[in-house]
Amino acid sequence: MTTLVPLIQTLSAHSKAVSTLAYRFDEATGSAMLYSAGKDGVIQEWEFDPSQHKNTWTAQRSFTGHSRWVRSIAVSAETLFSCSWDDTVRCFSLKRSSGQTRSSEDVDAGMILDPAGGHEKGLGVNCIIANEAGDRLYTGSDDGCVVVWDLVHGAAVDKWRANAGVLSLVHIPMNNSLDTDAEEGYVAAACADGSVCLFDALLGEQIETLKPTLSNEATGLCVIGSRIYSGGNDCLIHEMDSSTWLETRTLRGHGSYVSSVAGVSGNSTSECNFSLDGGPRLFSGDWNGNIKIWDLVHGTCLGTFKAHEKSVNAICFGGRSGAGPEKFMFTASSDGTVKVWDLANLPQSLIGTAGTAIPEPQQSYVPNPLLHASSSHYSAQPYQPYQQNYPPQNYQQNFQPSYQPSYQPNYQQQSNFRPRPPAQKCHFFAKGECRNGSSCRFSHDL
């Protein structure tokens, strides 16, 4: 199996599996930063050196404080957020102290958000996303809930109930662009039962649920334009239309569990600051360490290459937004490494020439009255966002939510949430074929 995408560098700083990545480009300084975290509980910072003789990524600061596996991280403005199986959600300031070099700068353990109003204890926190303004945070856990955090006051303000344990979160924009301000859109949650739940981020209500027929655990989500893509342990990738919340296509080809999905749109407005010639592309990683590249215009696989020796747990992209020609793809694996790939020099077989947009679905849909209250027929246009009762620029000074939280924490009462279910047995381990070892989320006790 040939490597279709040129490999730039392999980053090795973690002692155990790496599970999450986040990219940040500082337009003020022109610096590109990558953050990685995993089972060793450490968040590692990497910086890109664009000099002619180096052109590499070097390790900088290490953020510590978590006592167990860091499951997910997110970057908003100058703040880094992280969640862990130690039941905590932490935030770290990315501002550097004056008069100190990058390598000698001390980093504290970060601020822990109010644990009393968060998730059920003992179940860990699996995923985290932040809005662009840096005043709202969303976390998901095995307790089956999505907790909404007000970062101005550092407290939980709402809790949404999903169908099962929440493994991944993603924002669905209202204007077909990858704007990350979830206050004016929707939040989708991938669940342990294979379903994907849709929440109105402003009203705090679950308004839709999609359960693909063959999936029994959805482990990854991503948004490209108006489409949502989910991967799971059915070895398939399901494409959903955010306007109708119905499945439009199924991408087949992986021989093992799909562990990560990420995409690049067909225009330069995407969150990774660059586009790819030939139209939108989806990159999906699996438990065998393979990555597939999908042409979303035609729904076909353009190629497969071996990226890691073990599971590909995370994929993200990064560019320098006009500051340079770089187009990076980053992958994190259970083998403990992070790899940097060059998307600026792809072979012609991965570029193509036909089509630049994902085709509209051909079948007829029955509209959901919650999503199309003012229309009696299906419309491909995205629905309009709910109007806020306060201007976003004054949110931090006058925080008065326009909705009543559906969750009111009462710390005097006993929790009604069910305890963590017993771990499922790993049937790959029983056959002697499990590639994840101690990183496996399933039980090896036979």
Side-chain angles (χ1 to χ4, degrees), residues 178-250:
L178 287 179
D179 175 56
T180 55
D181 189 355
E183 278 300 303
E184 297 182 0
Y186 296 83
V187 174
C191 300
D193 65 349
S195 64
V196 180
C197 300
L198 178 69
F199 297 92
D200 186 302
L202 186 60
L203 300 181
E205 299 177 352
Q206 180 178 343
I207 59 177
E208 273 289 6
T209 298
L210 178 65
K211 177 66 166 69
T213 305
L214 300 178
S215 179
N216 54 9
E217 184 177 69
T219 55
L221 285 176
C222 76
V223 176
I224 306 177
S226 61
R227 301 299 171 85
I228 310 158
Y229 298 86
S230 70
N233 60 6
D234 57 0
C235 305
L236 303 175
I237 300 171
H238 302 275
E239 179 190 75
M240 294 157 279
D241 188 333
S242 62
S243 297
T244 62
W245 202 242
L246 294 177
E247 187 171 3
T248 55
R249 287 187 297 188
T250 301

Side-chain angles (χ1 to χ4, degrees), residues 23-39:
Y23 175 82
R24 173 177 178 255
F25 175 71
D26 190 340
E27 295 185 357
T29 61
S31 61
M33 312 297 294
L34 177 70
Y35 300 89
S36 60
K39 194 174 182 179

Side-chain angles (χ1 to χ4, degrees), residues 99-388:
Q100 288 183 316
T101 62
R102 297 176 186 271
S103 59
S104 66
E105 186 173 358
D106 293 330
V107 178
D108 58 25
M111 180 185 72
I112 302 178
L113 298 185
D114 180 20
H119 294 280
E120 191 74 5
K121 299 306 171 188
L123 300 181
V125 187
N126 295 325
C127 48
I128 187 170
I129 59 174
N131 68 347
E132 185 72 16
D135 51 31
R136 277 297 172 95
L137 199 67
Y138 305 87
T139 58
S141 169
D142 282 343
D143 62 6
C145 292
V146 178
V147 172
V148 185
W149 301 85
D150 167 29
L151 296 180
V152 177
H153 300 88
V157 295
D158 207 352
K159 180 178 282 190
W160 308 335
R161 187 69 179 177
N163 293 353
V166 180
L167 304 179
S168 181
L169 292 171
V170 69
H171 168 242
I172 302 174
M174 298 292 297
N175 55 0
N176 284 348
S177 67
L178 287 179
D179 175 56
T180 55
D181 189 355
E183 278 300 303
E184 297 182 0
Y186 296 83
V187 174
C191 300
D193 65 349
S195 64
V196 180
C197 300
L198 178 69
F199 297 92
D200 186 302
L202 186 60
L203 300 181
E205 299 177 352
Q206 180 178 343
I207 59 177
E208 273 289 6
T209 298
L210 178 65
K211 177 66 166 69
T213 305
L214 300 178
S215 179
N216 54 9
E217 184 177 69
T219 55
L221 285 176
C222 76
V223 176
I224 306 177
S226 61
R227 301 299 171 85
I228 310 158
Y229 298 86
S230 70
N233 60 6
D234 57 0
C235 305
L236 303 175
I237 300 171
H238 302 275
E239 179 190 75
M240 294 157 279
D241 188 333
S242 62
S243 297
T244 62
W245 202 242
L246 294 177
E247 187 171 3
T248 55
R249 287 187 297 188
T250 301
L251 306 180
R252 305 171 184 271
H254 281 285
S256 61
Y257 291 0
V258 179
S259 50
S260 56
V261 290
V264 178
S265 67
N267 56 69
S268 60
T269 60
S270 63
E271 61 182 2
C272 59
N273 295 326
F274 66 82
S275 62
L276 293 178
D277 296 332
R281 297 288 185 260
L282 179 71
F283 295 76
S284 57
D286 62 28
W287 274 25
N288 288 335
N290 299 323
I291 291 181
K292 287 186 176 292
I293 306 173
W294 303 88
D295 176 2
L296 297 181
V297 176
H298 303 94
T300 58
C301 180
L302 297 175
T304 305
F305 66 96
K306 185 75 171 180
H308 292 273
E309 294 302 318
K310 294 184 178 181
S311 171
V312 180
N313 298 325
I315 302 174
C316 78
F317 306 95
R320 293 202 292 154
S321 186
E326 298 85 7
K327 298 180 180 181
F328 298 116
M329 178 177 71
F330 310 96
T331 58
S333 171
S334 293
D335 60 15
T337 65
V338 176
K339 291 188 177 182
V340 186
W341 307 86
D342 184 11
L343 297 186
N345 297 290
L346 293 177
Q348 186 63 33
S349 60
L350 299 183
I351 298 177
T353 58
T356 58
I358 304 175
E360 291 298 327
Q362 299 300 317
Q363 62 265 44
S364 298
Y365 294 128
V366 177
N368 185 323
L370 289 174
L371 301 182
H372 304 275
S374 61
S375 176
S376 59
H377 63 280
Y378 164 71
S379 172
Q381 299 299 320
Y383 33 84
Q384 296 299 316
Y386 289 93
Q387 298 297 321
Q388 300 187 39

